[in-house]
Each structure stands twice: as structure tokens, then as C-alpha cells.
Amino acid sequence: MLPFTADDLKAIQTETFIEHLDYFESLASTNTWALNNLAPPANENPPRTISLPRLVLTGNQTAGRGRGSNAWWSPEGGLTFSLVVDVSQIQIPLEQQPLIALATGLAVCETLEKYLPEYNLQLKWPNDVYLQNKKVSGILVETAANQPGLVVIGVGVNLNNSFLSAEEALQSVGTSLYETTRQKYSLATTLVDLINGIENRLYDVASENNNFMSAWRQYCLLTGKTIRINTGLESKQGECLEIDDEGFLILKTAAGIERIISGTIEHF
């Protein structure tokens, strides 16, 4: 049985803001495909017309990517997709683009919470969703160098998959909705809910009020914890005081208080 039927694909387009859907039964990486096929060279003549927002969806992702050199493990039953948006259509200014990953994580967290009201969902800055203290979802936001306004939002959610077949290291840190609740969930219905939630939060990023980070902080996994973060240049250790309205992690170290815009949490 295919993970998505023709009726499912039709519903995804009619019930969301998606203008075009690219569906593949199997694909190495939805983000990679989007970047390779939807970001034409700047000197292309005549320039191709691309319908956006666009959804790149696969029932079987074989080489999913995470941040940096990390991979995203996505066996059967997982939900993996990429939203491709033009930030000028949504009116997100360039300086606000770093908030897209945070807004997407918040939308995923809020959507899953509707299904799991009795369970603990949290956000690990900058791009992970945790369920019962284990990772249940990851987000990878990428831009095309030749089209800076085109943003690819990759989302992976462990929905109906089991970690019994995963490597032991993954079993200790990851979980799925099925493993937590022993219930199966509709891939198509969940996807529609996630897309609509992400759309709403993207428009919050574009809003002048931009107060969605107060909602984000309610789910923050790191606030008050002693953490170690690799900024790409060095590792720093200290207490995470908060994630501020601009998406910076506020770290209290022995040398003072620092604002960190990006990095990898190595320990918390």
C-alpha cells in the first residue's frame, strides 16, 4: 500500500496554501531535489516560471540530510517533505529569515501537541522538536545561492516509524509518535495540519508585531540548563538564559553574557 493515495495528494493541495506538489515514491532528499530543480541559474534565459509555494514530498526518503554533516534517518512510516517558498511573497525581510527555522519548529510542536495533549513536547534550539525528552522531528532550512529569496524548508517527523530497526545510538535519543502512544496516524492528515501550521507561523515572522517568539520560549528545552555549544569557531559552555526575539541564544558564561545566532548544541 502506497503511503499517499491520489486522493491524499489532491487533499493536500486543496486544503493548504500549496500551489504545486511534486510527489515521488522514493527520493534521496527532498531538500536536495528542491535546490537542484527549483533554483535555476541566475543567467538562465528565458527564466523558468515556478509555482510557489511548492511541496516536495516522498513516501521513502533514502538519504535525508540534517544540519552540517548530519543525516536524517527516515524509515517507512516517517513523514519527510520540503516546503519551497518565496519570502518576498510572504513579505519576510532578509534580516528575519533566520527566524524561519524557529517558526517552523514552533508550528511542528504546536501541531503535534494537538495530537498528544498529555505528552511533553519541547523545542531544542535551533531546529529540533522533542517528545518525552527524545527527538521526534528535525528541520533543515536552506537557501539557494543564486536565488536568495527562495527558501527550502525541510521537515522530518517520526510519525508511524519504529526505532527498533535503528542503530543503538539512535534508539537512545530518538522516538516517534507511534512508539510513544502505540497509535497510528494518518500521514496525509498530519501533513495538511503541519503545512497549515507552518504557513500561519511564517506570516507571524513577516508581521511587524513579531511576537511569536514568546510562544516559542514556552516550549524551550534549554532555558536554565548548562549547555555546551559549538559555534563553528569554538565550543562555549554556560547557562542558557533564553532565546531572544531575534532568535539568538543568550548564554551566560564565565566571561559574561553572549548572544549566539547559530551553532550546534553538543551537550545539555
Side-chain angles (χ1 to χ4, degrees), residues 23-80:
Y23 175 66
F24 303 88
E25 289 185 15
S26 182
L27 195 65
S29 162
T30 56
N31 263 36
T32 298
W33 188 93
L35 289 169
N36 289 343
N37 292 275
L38 303 179
N43 60 354
E44 186 177 71
N45 191 21
R48 74 188 80 169
T49 301
I50 299 172
S51 297
L52 299 175
R54 197 172 185 119
L55 176 67
V56 183
L57 176 66
T58 183
N60 177 35
Q61 183 168 257
T62 59
R65 295 187 291 110
R67 295 175 73 232
S69 60
N70 293 332
W72 176 258
W73 183 72
S74 49
E76 182 180 352
L79 183 57
T80 53

Side-chain angles (χ1 to χ4, degrees), residues 6 15 41 50 128-129 146 149 161 169 175 178 186 188 194 232 239-240 245 260:
E15 296 176 23
I50 299 172
D128 292 333
V129 180
N146 56 348
N161 46 313
T175 190
Y178 170 73
S186 163
L194 286 168
E239 179 188 355
C240 175
D245 285 347
I260 300 172

Side-chain angles (χ1 to χ4, degrees), residues 12-198:
I12 291 164
Q13 279 197 268
T14 58
E15 296 176 23
T16 69
F17 74 147
I18 297 301
E19 291 291 332
H20 186 91
L21 191 158
D22 298 289
Y23 175 66
F24 303 88
E25 289 185 15
S26 182
L27 195 65
S29 162
T30 56
N31 263 36
T32 298
W33 188 93
L35 289 169
N36 289 343
N37 292 275
L38 303 179
N43 60 354
E44 186 177 71
N45 191 21
R48 74 188 80 169
T49 301
I50 299 172
S51 297
L52 299 175
R54 197 172 185 119
L55 176 67
V56 183
L57 176 66
T58 183
N60 177 35
Q61 183 168 257
T62 59
R65 295 187 291 110
R67 295 175 73 232
S69 60
N70 293 332
W72 176 258
W73 183 72
S74 49
E76 182 180 352
L79 183 57
T80 53
F81 62 94
S82 295
L83 282 176
V84 186
V85 299
D86 179 349
V87 292
S88 65
Q89 287 182 350
I90 305 173
Q91 298 183 323
I92 296 176
L94 185 63
E95 63 271 17
Q96 296 287 85
Q97 285 192 31
L99 291 173
I100 290 175
L102 297 176
T104 302
L106 176 59
V108 172
C109 197
E110 291 172 328
T111 301
L112 297 184
E113 191 174 53
K114 294 175 184 177
Y115 299 156
L116 306 165
E118 298 178 1
Y119 293 87
N120 185 34
L121 280 149
Q122 292 177 289
L123 289 162
K124 182 168 81 71
W125 182 92
N127 65 331
D128 292 333
V129 180
Y130 273 58
L131 169 61
Q132 301 295 97
N133 297 311
K134 289 188 174 184
K135 184 173 177 177
V136 73
S137 174
I139 292 131
L140 177 63
V141 176
E142 297 181 291
T143 56
N146 56 348
Q147 284 199 4
L150 187 141
V151 176
V152 179
I153 305 169
V155 179
V157 179
N158 294 322
L159 200 64
N160 297 325
N161 46 313
S162 170
F163 275 74
L164 293 178
S165 61
E167 296 177 4
E168 189 173 339
L170 282 178
Q171 291 185 32
S172 64
V173 297
T175 190
S176 68
L177 270 69
Y178 170 73
E179 288 205 334
T180 302
T181 68
R182 293 301 167 186
Q183 297 181 39
K184 294 283 188 176
Y185 299 83
S186 163
L187 288 169
T189 299
T190 304
L191 179 56
V192 167
D193 289 344
L194 286 168
I195 292 171
N196 289 333
I198 293 169

